[in-house]
């Protein structure tokens, strides 16, 4: 009997799905290097190792562009691992720029990798956590001016993001951002009290330690 569906139709579809799955696995595996390098760049920046951070960011850019070439214009392959690794890169690059200039790098300045709006905003949200860690270090040194600068940055980020209708997963980052601002306000208050008393102990709540990825 004549088959209702030509066998060649399903064999062709099977081959396409297998090729897609193989490419997807390759993308996921390669993206791990981008994400790991970005995390380690942040770790290096917290330790003022700018040369290593720069090298790791360049690795992100090189490997990230390789992945971008692999996926072409397939948005289904961009979602997930690649998009997450680009967001991690954005955070590291933003942190590097902020440490150098004290300003939050503009979206349009990302030319080395194809960062989209969601990945940039995710990086900005996460930048606030790194700024908070820097503030805690300055707080333990009683550097009120530096803590104020960190608070100003996180307040500016919070106010800007509150004006944006953030998509689902980014909306979940707003509470940690608000908590970071509140924590830095508390540190500044503690420092003001110590300053008014002419000395004393500053209680600074530690933030989660940044660790290098193996």
């Amino acid at each position: 009997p004549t088959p209702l569906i030509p066998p060649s139709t399903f064999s062709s579809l099977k081959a396409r799905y297998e090729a897609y799955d193989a490419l997807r696995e390759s993308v996921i595996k390669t993206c791990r290097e981008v994400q790991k390098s970005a995390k380690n760049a942040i770790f290096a920046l917290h330790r003022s190792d700018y040369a290593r951070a720069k090298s790791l960011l360049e690795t992100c850019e090189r490997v990230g562009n390789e992945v971008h070439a692999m996926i072409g214009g397939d948005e289904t392959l961009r979602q997930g691992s690649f998009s997450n690794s680009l967001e991690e890169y954005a955070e590291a690059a933003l942190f590097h720029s902020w440490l150098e200039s004290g300003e939050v790098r503009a979206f349009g300045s990302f030319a080395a990798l194809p960062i989209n709006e969601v990945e940039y905003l995710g990086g900005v949200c996460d930048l606030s956590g790194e700024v908070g860690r820097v503030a805690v270090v300055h707080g333990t040194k009683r550097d009120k001016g530096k803590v104020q600068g960190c608070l100003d940055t996180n307040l500016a980020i919070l106010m800007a993001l509150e004006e944006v209708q953030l998509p689902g997963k980014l909306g979940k980052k707003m509470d940690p951002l608000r908590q970071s601002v509140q924590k830095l306000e508390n540190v500044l208050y503690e420092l003001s009290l110590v300053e008014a008393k002419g000395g004393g102990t500053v209680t600074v709540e530690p933030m989660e330690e940044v660790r290098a990825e193996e």
Side-chain angles (χ1 to χ4, degrees):
T2 303
L4 294 176
I5 301 177
S8 59
T9 297
F10 276 95
S11 61
S12 173
L13 287 172
K14 180 175 180 290
R16 286 169 61 186
Y17 273 112
E18 287 175 347
Y20 178 87
D21 283 342
L23 179 57
R24 180 175 171 274
E25 286 301 315
S26 181
V27 166
I28 291 171
K29 182 178 179 181
T30 310
C31 283
R32 291 192 188 111
E33 186 176 355
V34 179
Q35 197 146 16
K36 176 182 173 181
S37 296
K39 286 181 181 293
N40 285 342
I42 292 169
F43 179 80
L45 288 167
H46 277 292
R47 282 149 184 77
S48 301
D49 190 347
Y50 292 96
R52 176 160 171 73
K54 184 174 183 292
S55 175
L56 287 163
L57 287 171
E58 287 171 353
T59 297
C60 291
E61 293 159 5
R62 175 178 55 79
V63 179
N65 279 309
E66 289 173 6
V67 176
H68 189 239
M70 287 166 61
I71 68 172
D74 192 334
E75 283 299 312
T76 64
L77 286 171
R78 184 189 183 103
Q79 296 164 13
S81 294
F82 187 42
S83 185
N84 290 341
S85 67
L86 291 177
E87 185 177 305
E88 194 76 40
Y89 163 78
E91 178 188 354
L94 285 161
F95 187 38
H96 182 263
S97 296
W98 178 79
L99 287 171
E100 287 188 331
S101 68
E103 298 178 354
V104 178
R105 185 172 167 183
F107 171 62
S109 69
F110 284 86
L113 275 176
I115 306 294
N116 67 25
E117 290 86 347
V118 173
E119 292 149 1
Y120 171 77
L121 289 172
V124 171
C125 286
D126 293 337
L127 167 66
S128 66
E130 309 310 333
V131 173
R133 291 181 179 89
V134 171
V136 166
V137 172
H138 290 313
T140 59
K141 297 176 181 177
R142 302 186 185 182
D143 192 332
K144 189 177 174 183
K146 294 275 180 68
V147 174
Q148 182 68 62
C150 292
L151 175 58
D152 289 345
T153 295
N154 280 3
L155 272 172
I157 291 172
L158 177 61
M159 292 173 67
L161 291 178
E162 284 181 335
E163 297 296 317
V164 181
Q165 189 68 34
L166 296 175
K169 75 166 191 172
L170 291 185
K172 294 177 181 178
K173 294 176 182 277
M174 291 299 290
D175 280 344
L177 173 52
R178 293 186 184 99
Q179 290 164 12
S180 174
V181 167
Q182 185 175 25
K183 182 176 289 187
L184 297 195
E185 287 174 339
N186 290 341
V187 171
L188 208 56
Y189 177 68
E190 287 272 346
L191 289 171
S192 296
L193 286 179
V194 169
E195 188 176 72
K197 292 176 182 177
T201 304
V202 181
T203 304
V204 179
E205 184 182 346
M207 300 187 75
E208 183 182 352
E209 185 180 358
V210 179
R211 298 181 182 274
E213 292 249 323
E214 299 296 331

